[in-house]
Structures are given as structure tokens and as C-alpha cells.
């Protein structure tokens, strides 16, 4: 089949025409190519092979596009600033944070019953955060938070396992993922780590756990660590110091 045959067969040939202003970042790249059409065709084909067909691509903000599709990391300073702002804003919502702590605890306790596939552990932020926020907004029923968790977990597991009708699991998880900011994810990860400690049964209330985690986050980001691989070890040391701290001695009465 030659070129003219392709033109006549509209089912096998697609033409797209567009223009680039000189100010566009890609104009210098395209201008210097010997085979402009071939280059763009190859580039788009590779993109579709790796990412599928993200129809919403043009509407996604540039930073999000670069992160999601090209692996461009968000600058650490921008993340650090966002975490600081979140800590300042969320510190007044202790009840919400307490619900998040409780939901993480219940996840460790009950998720193996509902989610036998342990790979679902990576979805804990997508489950905990929206459901804790829902309880905070609507109020916990008279049956209590544990009952609410079990009801939420049952629905979530059915969605993840494909048992719930008309559920697009990937779309659901992606939508929830987009709603989570780095600070919220860090908070949930650290609370999860707290409950994994062997000696965490120290009588801390959910509010006290939340305060401890926020205290660590605030001190951690002030040092502007650029490698989060140290976060778990530093948090472990921080919590151990807290748990092992002896109360200040009672002053002797003045004679």
C-alpha cells in the first residue's frame, strides 16, 4: 500500500494539524528536526503505549502532568512549605485528626478480615482520609466509630475487589489519591508506624497520638530533610524518647 492508498483509506489514516507559537518551549526542538512529523508521531505513539489514553490530559495542571506522566518530582522546598502550612491549618481540627488516628488503628485491627490481599496496604491513605473526614463532617452514629469503620471498610473492600456494581476501581482510587496532599499522607504513614511499635500500649489517647505525630512532623521538616528514607528511623527514635521519658521529679517542699 503506497501513500496515496493510505490517503484514500480514512479508517487507516489520521491527520492532525496544529501550530506552535515561537514562545512555546517545544518550538526550538521541532524547528531543528529533519523529520518533524515522524518525530511527533513516534513521541505520541510512545506516550500512548506507556500511559494509555488520558483524555483529561490537557485539563491537568502542568505540575501534575509532569509528575504523573514524566516522573518530575515536586521541589522539596515546595513540599516542605506545604506541610508547614497544613500543620498550622490542621492543628485546630484535633477531632478530625483523632478520627484519622482511630481509623488507622482499626485498619491494622480489621483490614486483614476484609482485604486478604496485603498489597492493598498501599491504599490506606485513600481509605482512611475520606472516611475519617466523612465521620467528622456528618457525626458518628450512636453505634460508635468502630461500627462506622467496619461499615466503611466493608464498602471499600467490595469496591477494591470488584464486588460492588458499577465501580471503576482505578478511577475511584485515582480520584481519592488526587485529593490527598503530602502532609496528610505523611501524617497517616507516621500514625501507622506508631501502632506498629511493640511498646505502643502506653495509654496514649487518639488526640495525644495526633499531637505527638504533629510535633515530630513540625520538627522534622524544619531541618529540611531531602531524603525521606530517614523519616521512619527518626520517628522511631523520637517516639522511643517520648515513651521512655521519665516524669520530672516532684520538687521537695520548702522548709
Amino acid at each position: 500500500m503506497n501513500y496515496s492508498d493510505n490517503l484514500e483509506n480514512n479508517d487507516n489514516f489520521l491527520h492532525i494539524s496544529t501550530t506552535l507559537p515561537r514562545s512555546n518551549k517545544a518550538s526550538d526542538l521541532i524547528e531543528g528536526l529533519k523529520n518533524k512529523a515522524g518525530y511527533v508521531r513516534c513521541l505520541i505513539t510512545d506516550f500512548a503505549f506507556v500511559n494509555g489514553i488520558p483524555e483529561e490530559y490537557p485539563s491537568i495542571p502542568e505540575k501534575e502532568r509532569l509528575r504523573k506522566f514524566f516522573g518530575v518530582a515536586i521541589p522539596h522546598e515546595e513540599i516542605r512549605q506545604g506541610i508547614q502550612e497544613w500543620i498550622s491549618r490542621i492543628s485546630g481540627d484535633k477531632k478530625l485528626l483523632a478520627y484519622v488516628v482511630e481509623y488507622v488503628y482499626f485498619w491494622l485491627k480489621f483490614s486483614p478480615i476484609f482485604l486478604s490481599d496485603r498489597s492493598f496496604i498501599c491504599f490506606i491513605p485513600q481509605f482512611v482520609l475520606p472516611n475519617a473526614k466523612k465521620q467528622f463532617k456528618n457525626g458518628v452514629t450512636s453505634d460508635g466509630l468502630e461500627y462506622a469503620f467496619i461499615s466503611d471498610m466493608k464498602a471499600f473492600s467490595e469496591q477494591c475487589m470488584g464486588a460492588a456494581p458499577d465501580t471503576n476501581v482505578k478511577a475511584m482510587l485515582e480520584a481519592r489519591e488526587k485529593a490527598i496532599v503530602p502532609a496528610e499522607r505523611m501524617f497517616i504513614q507516621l500514625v501507622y508506624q506508631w501502632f506498629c511499635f511493640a511498646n505502643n500500649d502506653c495509654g496514649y489517647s487518639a488526640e495525644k497520638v495526633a499531637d505527638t505525630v504533629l510535633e515530630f512532623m513540625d520538627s522534622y521538616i524544619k531541618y529540611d530533610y531531602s531524603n525521606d528514607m530517614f523519616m521512619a528511623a527518626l520517628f522511631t527514635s523520637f517516639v522511643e524518647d517520648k515513651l521512655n521519658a521519665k516524669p520530672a521529679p516532684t520538687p521537695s517542699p520548702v522548709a
Side-chain angles (χ1 to χ4, degrees), residues 213-241:
V213 172
L214 285 180
E215 182 183 351
F216 170 79
M217 289 175 64
D218 187 51
S219 61
Y220 177 76
I221 61 172
K222 284 179 180 177
Y223 289 103
D224 199 19
Y225 288 105
S226 59
N227 193 337
D228 284 344
M229 68 178 291
F230 298 114
M231 184 174 69
L234 289 170
F235 183 62
T236 300
S237 177
F238 178 85
V239 172
E240 286 178 344
D241 289 344

Side-chain angles (χ1 to χ4, degrees), residues 56 64 68 123 126 168-180:
E56 76 285 5
E64 177 64 17
K68 181 175 181 179
F123 298 147
Q126 290 97 317
N168 185 328
V169 178
K170 182 179 178 181
M172 176 196 72
L173 294 174
E174 285 184 349
R176 292 189 176 195
E177 178 68 22
K178 290 178 181 178
I180 300 173

Side-chain angles (χ1 to χ4, degrees), residues 132-167:
K133 286 182 176 180
K134 179 185 68 176
Q135 300 302 331
F136 176 72
K137 179 181 178 181
N138 299 335
V140 181
T141 65
S142 58
D143 295 311
L145 195 63
E146 184 171 326
Y147 179 88
F149 171 90
I150 292 174
S151 178
D152 291 335
M153 174 57 76
K154 182 176 182 297
F156 182 71
S157 65
E158 289 175 348
Q159 291 172 329
C160 288
M161 300 299 185
D166 302 325
T167 299

Side-chain angles (χ1 to χ4, degrees), residues 182-196:
E184 293 170 330
R185 179 176 300 281
M186 179 185 290
F187 181 83
I188 292 172
Q189 289 173 337
L190 292 172
V191 172
Y192 182 90
Q193 186 176 343
W194 168 281
F195 286 120
C196 288

Side-chain angles (χ1 to χ4, degrees), residues 64-118:
E64 177 64 17
R65 292 200 308 268
L66 295 176
R67 182 195 66 78
K68 181 175 181 179
F69 297 102
F70 299 97
V72 177
I74 301 174
H76 185 72
E77 173 59 28
E78 185 176 326
I79 295 176
R80 187 178 70 86
Q81 182 178 349
I83 292 174
Q84 285 181 316
E85 292 173 353
W86 180 84
I87 291 174
S88 299
R89 185 173 66 254
I90 202 66
S91 294
D93 289 332
K94 295 295 179 66
K95 188 174 183 179
L96 170 59
L97 294 178
Y99 283 175
V100 172
V101 170
E102 294 278 13
Y103 259 59
V104 173
Y105 170 75
F106 291 141
W107 172 284
L108 280 163
K109 185 177 180 180
F110 295 114
S111 65
I113 300 173
F114 295 94
L115 297 172
S116 57
D117 185 349
R118 298 302 294 165

